[in-house]
Amino acid sequence: MRRSSAWYLAVLLVAGCGGGSEAGEAEMAETAEAMAESEAMAEMEMADAGLACVVMGDAEGRQSPLQELSFSYEGGEGLLCYGAPSARERVVMGELVPYGEVWRLGANEATALHLSAAATVGGVALGPGSYSLYATPGETEWEFHVNSEYDRWGIPIDATVRGTEVGSFMATPAPTAGMVETMTFEQVDGALRFSWENTQVDIPLGM
């Protein structure tokens, strides 16, 4: 899928420059090949860094499938692993996900954050390694919790789990442009953006 995206972008670049000639087609092929090689190198760097999602039990047939978000930041590569639930005509925020209660930020296993190099997440300084993310949603503010234990089931979030937190930070939710049926994360402008139902929250990411 990434190679297809690279090829499509190359087509747009060449078309914008008056492509269509043999020279243009050659340039398009070279551009697509270079982009594909760059993406492949990034994937290899992530593999070399040992970034991989932890799956407990059989992942086939889950109502909330495992999703992975690969992202880059200054000095490193990252991988976010989360179970992606869907609304399925339910009221999510405030009901399915109660306000004021700690939530695993997804479904199934704990939502895991893997970093190949040092980074700050919401202002919390983290070394290279693996962490889990939890959240306490609110109507006007969310609190995110960064935990040093990641290879576990997402619940219960009891005193033992809370005892391994390494930091927390606040973030302000915003309305989405439209209904987001399935919970998702994406990298947007130096942040990891959570979106579900009618709510989105940005988690700042930096060095």
Side-chain angles (χ1 to χ4, degrees), residues 107-132:
N108 308 317
E109 294 87 359
T111 293
L113 177 68
H114 304 282
L115 304 171
S116 69
T120 60
V121 177
V124 178
L126 302 174
S130 297
Y131 305 87
S132 59

Side-chain angles (χ1 to χ4, degrees), residues 14-40:
V14 174
C17 297
S21 65
E22 290 185 4
E25 291 176 355
E27 181 182 351
M28 177 179 65
E30 290 177 1
T31 301
E33 182 178 356
M35 293 181 66
E37 287 179 356
S38 176
E39 291 170 343

Side-chain angles (χ1 to χ4, degrees), residues 19 23 66 108 122 138 165 186:
L66 176 68
N108 308 317
E165 288 182 11
E186 59 184 326

Side-chain angles (χ1 to χ4, degrees), residues 6-205:
W7 179 267
Y8 178 65
L9 181 56
V11 170
L12 291 180
L13 289 172
V14 174
C17 297
S21 65
E22 290 185 4
E25 291 176 355
E27 181 182 351
M28 177 179 65
E30 290 177 1
T31 301
E33 182 178 356
M35 293 181 66
E37 287 179 356
S38 176
E39 291 170 343
M41 287 181 64
E43 290 177 350
M44 288 176 63
E45 288 176 0
M46 292 182 65
D48 291 342
L51 306 184
C53 294
V54 173
V55 179
M56 297 182 176
D58 187 2
E60 295 295 326
R62 290 183 177 181
Q63 286 191 324
S64 301
L66 176 68
Q67 297 293 333
E68 302 180 9
L69 172 66
S70 300
F71 59 91
S72 300
Y73 57 97
E74 186 178 355
E77 302 289 332
L79 180 67
L80 185 70
C81 311
Y82 62 98
S86 297
R88 299 199 299 276
E89 300 184 351
R90 298 172 293 180
V91 176
V92 177
M93 297 302 163
E95 293 191 13
L96 181 63
V97 177
Y99 292 134
E101 296 183 15
V102 185
W103 174 47
R104 61 181 143 182
L105 202 56
N108 308 317
E109 294 87 359
T111 293
L113 177 68
H114 304 282
L115 304 171
S116 69
T120 60
V121 177
V124 178
L126 302 174
S130 297
Y131 305 87
S132 59
L133 294 176
Y134 297 92
T136 303
E139 292 188 63
T140 58
E141 272 194 315
W142 282 42
E143 182 175 12
F144 287 89
H145 314 273
V146 185
N147 199 294
S148 62
E149 299 293 329
Y150 73 96
D151 54 345
R152 65 181 303 275
W153 200 248
I155 55 175
I157 308 173
D158 54 21
T160 300
V161 173
R162 298 298 302 274
T164 54
E165 288 182 11
V166 296
S168 64
F169 59 93
M170 306 300 294
T172 302
T176 59
M179 172 64 179
V180 179
E181 170 64 21
T182 300
M183 194 193 93
T184 187
F185 279 95
E186 59 184 326
Q187 185 175 21
V188 180
D189 298 330
L192 301 178
R193 175 170 292 173
F194 163 93
S195 301
W196 195 16
E197 193 188 34
N198 301 309
T199 299
Q200 68 182 38
V201 191
D202 285 355
I203 300 173
L205 177 70

